[in-house]
Amino acid sequence: MRIFSCLLLCFLGSVCNGPEMEKLNGVSFVASREMVTQEDVDAVREVNAGYVAIMPFGFIRDPRSPHIIYNTPRQWFGETRA
């Protein structure tokens, strides 16, 4: 029984290794107070990032309500629709 279990684990280990995927170099772009400039884009290029994740910010005042609050005058530029 032990031999069978070991063989099964070895088989599953070899089968579960999916195909090699190309590595994606990316960064998460944090919302800024001011508009993004070319200097900001150049900094992303300097770390060899080919992808950028831009995540909007919103919040919920009442967990029982589905209303998401965003794009308010008190939020930073990078957290608004602009």
Side-chain angles (χ1 to χ4, degrees):
M1 185 67 173
R2 274 183 139 174
I3 294 173
F4 176 74
S5 297
C6 288
L7 288 174
L8 180 62
L9 285 175
C10 289
F11 173 74
L12 289 175
S14 66
V15 172
C16 292
N17 292 339
E20 272 240 5
M21 303 287 258
E22 178 185 345
K23 180 180 175 187
L24 299 177
N25 292 323
V27 296
S28 295
F29 216 57
V30 177
S32 64
R33 292 180 187 192
E34 293 87 29
M35 198 160 88
V36 175
T37 65
Q38 185 62 46
E39 184 179 332
D40 301 315
V41 174
D42 292 341
V44 172
R45 287 183 175 166
E46 286 175 15
V47 295
N48 296 319
Y51 299 87
V52 175
I54 301 173
M55 298 168 283
F57 177 81
F59 61 95
I60 299 174
R61 289 184 197 249
D62 183 358
R64 296 174 302 242
S65 169
H67 182 69
I68 299 173
I69 299 167
Y70 63 96
N71 201 39
T72 66
R74 296 186 63 192
Q75 289 181 277
W76 287 3
F77 176 84
E79 296 175 345
T80 64
R81 287 185 182 180

